Amino acid sequence: MSETVKTGHPKGLYFLFFTEMWERFSYYGMRAIFILFMTKILLMKDADASQIYGSYTGLVYLTPLLGGYLCDKFLGNRRSIIIGGLLMALGQFFMFLSASAGADGVSLMWMGLTSIIIGNGFFKPNISTMVGQLYPANDRRIDSAFTIFYMGINLGAFFSPLICGSMDFKWGFLAACIGMLLGLVAFILGQKKYLISEEGKEIGLPVKKLDAKSIGMIIGSIAIIFFMLNFKQMFKSDIDIISYFIYGAMVAMPILILTDKSLNKIETQRITVIFILAFFVIFFWGAFEQAGASLTLFADRQTERTLFGWEMPASYFQSVNPLAVISIAPIMTMVWGFLYARKLEPSSPKKMAIGLGLVAMGYVVIAIAVKGLGLGEKVSMWWLIGLYVIHTIGELCLSPIGLSMVSKLAPLRLSSLMMGTWFLANAAANKFAGTLSALIPGGEDGTGGATSFIGFQITNLYEFFVLFIIMSGTAAAILFVLSSWLEKKMHNDHLESVDLEVENR
């Protein structure tokens, strides 16, 4: 049967999203309560907690560069996933110990964050890369596979805030630890049975001998990240060393990869497209990831959360996005299929521009809600829910499409490294999100202090949300204008004849 008429998906796809579902349960369960834990238990200021949140989530997306490199060179996909899962479970256990210690648990928190950050670096790029390896080259099912994968992992992201947010902080972190262990055990037991291609071949890069240099890189990375997280506290400094590190890597990686002399012209142009789109992704996630930072503080303090006499925990709002993904993703898959059949489907760059436009629209909704908000007043929860639903549609236009694009455009020999580089944009975006979250006006009514961003004065919540409208809306317009040029540089018509390496996926 011709691969172009194949329907359905291999069992390995569902096995991988089941594994990823539990890892996402662990990550999002912890994220849902993290900033509230810092402000309520560790008694940190909003701005300090926001910066730590941005540093943590930023580094979570930076370490896939290390994990992708070590996977490609030595560990292989499967062993990398196992190492990463173990480290993340250990990190969540440290967070449990930190919450148990109360205000004295800051040092344990740094240990937990370090372990989660390093573990995620091994886990995240490899499981995403293996999804693409399940399919033959140029198989159109890859786009829908990543959408299904994305929908599946959101099951974990949906339940985790409801479960972890309903508990005391320490039990919430322990539940996140147990979730990670469940996913890890499932992966170890089922990998040989399910991780095979449709031709019956095992997928995943082989394991090679790990040399002393690579072991030193792992140990050194752990020490460096722990040092960076503690830098301000250790030296009583206002210098944000993590920002320099993340943004510096964002500049250095394109230079490093694009100067590789083994790349041919087509490969170089495709990789350039990945980097350009990665830049625009920063503006999307910088606005979107306010969900775990400023929008959680907004939900806790200035959103009416009472239903039939019961006050909903603020963390529950973080379940709206994954629930919307589960509900809307099948519709989006049908929409793309409908448009494809009529040769009207937008290209990947255009889809991503649409996603950026939708995140701006979500902030239009919440800006309308808070305009003129008075002292002590709260907005209806439906405004916030509306923002999350609109953002979800934008996410489905951007995130799974981006993962699929990297899988198709990156040369196989650089596949994990390029996936790690794609997550580097998320690292910069999440750090940026923490910086932006720190600009939220303080106080229970959001008017407790003025802030500014590159000359834009922020004195209330309305102006705070308008900043995101301007930022993401402008990025959407520019990307849409550039999309036709980017489409040419993707060389989709040469996928079979030029990029012969991909044929062996």
Side-chain angles (χ1 to χ4, degrees):
M1 180 182 291
S2 171
E3 65 180 23
T4 59
V5 297
K6 285 181 180 177
T7 59
H9 295 277
K11 293 180 180 179
L13 171 64
Y14 303 102
F15 172 74
L16 288 173
F17 93 57
F18 179 82
T19 304
E20 178 76 340
M21 178 188 74
W22 282 110
E23 186 274 330
R24 292 290 86 185
F25 175 95
S26 175
Y27 176 78
Y28 282 105
M30 180 268 194
R31 194 194 77 158
I33 59 177
F34 184 38
I35 199 163
L36 297 175
F37 165 68
M38 288 188 286
T39 55
K40 293 177 181 289
I41 303 301
L42 299 184
L43 305 178
M44 294 181 179
K45 296 179 180 179
D46 291 355
D48 293 334
S50 293
Q51 290 289 359
I52 292 172
Y53 171 87
S55 296
Y56 160 65
T57 55
L59 288 172
V60 156
Y61 285 97
L62 180 64
T63 50
L65 285 170
L66 172 68
Y69 171 80
L70 291 174
C71 167
D72 289 343
K73 295 292 184 180
F74 304 104
L75 297 176
N77 300 107
R78 302 182 187 210
R79 183 174 291 183
S80 295
I81 290 170
I82 293 171
I83 292 172
L86 286 171
L87 285 171
M88 284 189 287
L90 178 64
Q92 299 289 9
F93 186 72
F94 275 123
M95 294 300 296
F96 161 73
L97 295 177
S98 173
S100 300
D104 297 324
V106 175
S107 296
L108 287 166
M109 181 190 75
W110 296 132
M111 295 172 66
L113 296 182
T114 301
S115 186
I116 295 170
I117 288 165
I118 294 292
N120 197 82
F122 286 103
F123 191 99
K124 197 169 187 67
N126 291 294
I127 198 160
S128 299
T129 298
M130 293 186 82
V131 172
Q133 293 174 1
L134 287 167
Y135 298 86
N138 208 26
D139 191 325
R140 193 186 173 276
R141 291 177 300 164
I142 294 178
D143 269 5
S144 64
F146 273 101
T147 301
I148 292 170
F149 179 71
Y150 209 72
M151 179 177 63
I153 64 178
N154 274 274
L155 287 171
F158 167 68
F159 286 112
S160 55
L162 303 180
I163 294 174
C164 298
S166 298
M167 306 175 177
D168 290 341
F169 289 110
K170 63 179 181 180
W171 301 120
F173 291 135
L174 185 61
C177 172
I178 293 171
M180 186 66 252
L181 290 174
L182 286 173
L184 183 61
V185 170
F187 181 83
I188 292 172
L189 295 178
Q191 57 176 318
K192 291 185 178 179
K193 180 178 179 181
Y194 295 109
L195 295 184
I196 55 176
S197 67
E198 292 181 321
E199 291 77 26
K201 299 178 181 179
E202 285 193 1
I203 65 169
L205 296 172
V207 176
K208 301 177 183 178
K209 186 177 180 181
L210 191 65
D211 59 17
K213 178 181 177 181
S214 299
I215 296 173
M217 288 176 61
I218 297 173
I219 297 173
S221 297
I222 293 173
I224 289 170
I225 288 175
F226 186 79
F227 171 77
M228 288 194 298
L229 287 171
N230 281 274
F231 181 83
K232 285 189 174 183
Q233 186 176 9
M234 290 168 59
F235 297 98
K236 308 299 180 183
S237 171
D238 293 330
I239 298 175
D240 190 352
I241 191 172
I242 295 176
S243 291
Y244 291 111
F245 190 83
I246 291 177
Y247 297 139
M250 190 70 191
V251 174
M253 285 308 299
I255 297 173
L256 179 65
I257 293 175
L258 289 172
T259 53
D260 185 343
K261 295 182 179 179
S262 69
L263 296 174
N264 61 41
K265 181 180 177 180
I266 299 296
E267 290 173 333
T268 298
Q269 291 184 347
R270 289 182 189 154
I271 290 174
T272 300
V273 170
I274 293 174
F275 284 129
I276 292 173
L277 291 176
F279 172 76
F280 284 95
V281 160
I282 293 174
F283 296 97
F284 178 88
W285 293 116
F288 185 94
E289 285 297 330
Q290 296 302 309
S294 64
L295 289 176
T296 293
L297 295 175
F298 176 76
D300 184 53
R301 299 167 182 173
Q302 292 161 266
T303 302
E304 178 54 59
R305 296 179 281 114
T306 303
L307 284 174
F308 307 109
W310 168 71
E311 187 174 56
M312 179 191 306
S315 59
Y316 275 28
F317 285 92
Q318 293 192 48
S319 288
V320 175
N321 167 248
L323 178 61
V325 169
I326 295 167
S327 304
I328 299 171
I331 299 173
M332 294 297 293
T333 300
M334 289 189 290
V335 168
W336 298 141
F338 176 85
L339 294 175
Y340 173 79
R342 289 156 181 79
K343 298 183 179 180
L344 296 173
E345 183 180 13
S347 64
S348 293
K350 282 190 172 69
K351 288 178 182 177
M352 297 173 79
I354 292 170
L356 269 164
L358 286 167
V359 82
M361 188 179 296
Y363 280 104
V364 170
V365 169
I366 204 68
I368 292 172
V370 302
K371 187 174 178 59
L373 191 68
L375 181 66
E377 292 182 346
K378 296 184 177 182
V379 303
S380 168
M381 67 174 69
W382 296 107
W383 291 100
L384 190 54
I385 290 172
L387 172 144
Y388 282 134
V389 171
I390 294 171
H391 280 190
T392 299
I393 300 172
E395 180 187 10
L396 289 169
C397 290
L398 182 139
S399 189
I401 303 305
L403 291 172
S404 175
M405 180 198 66
V406 175
S407 176
K408 290 186 288 188
L409 296 184
L412 179 61
R413 65 186 183 280
L414 298 176
S415 59
S416 290
L417 181 60
M418 287 306 304
M419 191 64 76
T421 303
W422 181 253
F423 288 126
L424 173 59
N426 293 66
N430 276 269
K431 181 57 185 170
F432 188 41
T435 301
L436 293 172
S437 176
L439 300 174
I440 188 170
E444 290 297 310
D445 64 335
T447 60
T451 57
S452 65
F453 180 73
I454 55 175
F456 183 83
Q457 295 297 313
I458 301 171
T459 60
N460 53 52
L461 281 171
Y462 174 76
E463 292 170 351
F464 176 69
F465 291 132
V466 165
L467 172 64
F468 295 98
I469 298 171
I470 296 171
M471 179 185 71
S472 49
T474 302
I478 294 172
L479 179 55
F480 197 85
V481 171
L482 290 176
S483 60
S484 295
W485 178 78
L486 291 170
E487 290 163 24
K488 295 177 182 178
K489 299 301 179 181
M490 290 170 68
H491 295 282
N492 288 330
D493 54 332
H494 289 79
L495 277 172
E496 292 186 17
S497 60
V498 178
D499 199 0
L500 299 178
E501 188 177 39
V502 178
E503 294 292 336
N504 297 318
R505 291 191 179 187

